[in-house]
Amino acid sequence: MKQLPLKPSKPLAKLAHDTVGNPHYFDLDRLAGRRLVAAIAEHTGQPIPTRPDLVRALLAESGIVADRLSATVLLFNVHTTGDGPIDRRLRDSHTPVALTLLDLLDQPPTLDAQVLTVVENPSVLEVAYLTGSTQPLACTSGQLRAVDHTLFRLAVHHGVHLRYAGDIDHAGQHIAAIVADTYGAELIAMDAATALQAQQHPPAVMLAPAVLAAPLATYQEHDVVLHRILR
């Protein structure tokens, strides 16, 4: 710990490789990774962060870069007002754009004040693209990662009105609650009326009885849900 912060900065996997010979040793979902974060928090006199973006921010302060490239968030029809390279990518692209955590941290776009609908599943953006939707959309692809939290923080900073829609199941509702409580997002297409209407119009191809016996979930690919999201 006496060597912190590292200069120059070093990727977490490189640090693990050079320390114990295994680049995955300090992966943040492993005990050794969690212990490293706790030790750095104690060394710097900070509380142990639990949100993935805050974990990475703590590590970055100590010169440790935790994977900023593999996870991406998808943006489509998102309006920007800046002149940076990410702003231009978003303005110039007619298809969904995948942005990394590094993109959002190193060259963050300046988001215009707009209503941004964030969804759980990439298929919603596929439908939006195929149907010619001009609605600003983003996709987190399920469980919230550092890149997703960073996008939410950026949106709030720029006065974007966030709407969030996920699958209507236990996991989806848990994610939605985090987005609403942390970032003040308006939840859409996840209410009981949406679920009831969707269940009254089941898919044309029915599953086997054993599968149907499981608790019902309403997915974003259902036409009823898509209509409420893409309007």
Side-chain angles (χ1 to χ4, degrees):
M1 289 299 170
K2 293 180 179 179
Q3 299 176 346
L4 298 179
L6 298 180
K7 294 183 180 180
S9 296
K10 183 179 291 189
L12 182 63
K14 173 67 172 166
L15 174 67
H17 176 272
D18 293 350
T19 303
V20 299
N22 178 359
H24 295 291
Y25 185 76
F26 289 134
D27 282 1
L28 297 174
D29 59 351
R30 293 188 173 188
L31 178 60
R34 294 193 294 270
R35 284 178 171 172
L36 175 65
V37 172
I40 292 175
E42 181 179 358
H43 177 71
T44 58
Q46 301 182 56
I48 300 174
T50 55
R51 221 171 64 195
D53 56 324
L54 300 180
V55 169
R56 283 159 176 78
L58 174 70
L59 293 173
E61 291 175 5
S62 296
I64 303 170
V65 179
D67 190 10
R68 301 181 296 184
L69 299 175
S70 63
T72 60
V73 62
L74 291 171
L75 277 70
F76 184 46
N77 298 325
V78 174
H79 307 302
T80 64
T81 59
D83 195 39
I86 305 302
D87 294 84
R88 295 194 296 271
R89 277 175 60 190
L90 291 170
R91 277 199 299 269
D92 294 344
S93 179
H94 298 292
T95 61
V97 175
L99 297 182
T100 66
L101 179 59
L102 182 59
D103 289 329
L104 295 178
L105 292 175
D106 192 55
Q107 298 171 326
T110 302
L111 302 178
D112 195 6
Q114 61 200 293
V115 176
L116 177 61
T117 301
V118 184
V119 298
E120 182 179 345
N121 301 308
S123 57
V124 178
L125 269 64
E126 287 276 16
V127 172
Y129 173 71
L130 291 170
T131 57
S133 173
T134 59
Q135 181 176 332
L137 295 164
C139 177
T140 63
S141 300
Q143 293 295 331
L144 302 179
R145 306 148 301 170
V147 66
D148 306 312
H149 283 286
T150 302
L151 174 66
F152 286 131
R153 289 202 331 264
L154 187 68
V156 170
H157 175 70
H158 288 138
V160 171
H161 177 79
L162 288 169
R163 303 196 313 161
Y164 183 82
D167 290 330
I168 309 177
D169 58 8
H170 178 73
Q173 290 167 337
H174 175 70
I175 297 169
I178 294 174
V179 179
D181 293 344
T182 308
Y183 303 104
E186 172 193 359
L187 300 184
I188 63 166
M190 297 189 72
D191 55 283
T194 299
L196 178 60
Q197 185 180 359
Q199 290 165 14
Q200 290 173 342
H201 299 82
V205 179
M206 299 302 293
L207 297 176
V211 177
L212 290 176
L216 289 176
T218 300
Y219 299 108
Q220 293 192 301
E221 289 79 4
H222 197 294
D223 284 342
V224 168
V225 180
L226 288 171
H227 176 72
R228 298 195 178 196
I229 294 173
L230 302 175
R231 61 179 182 181

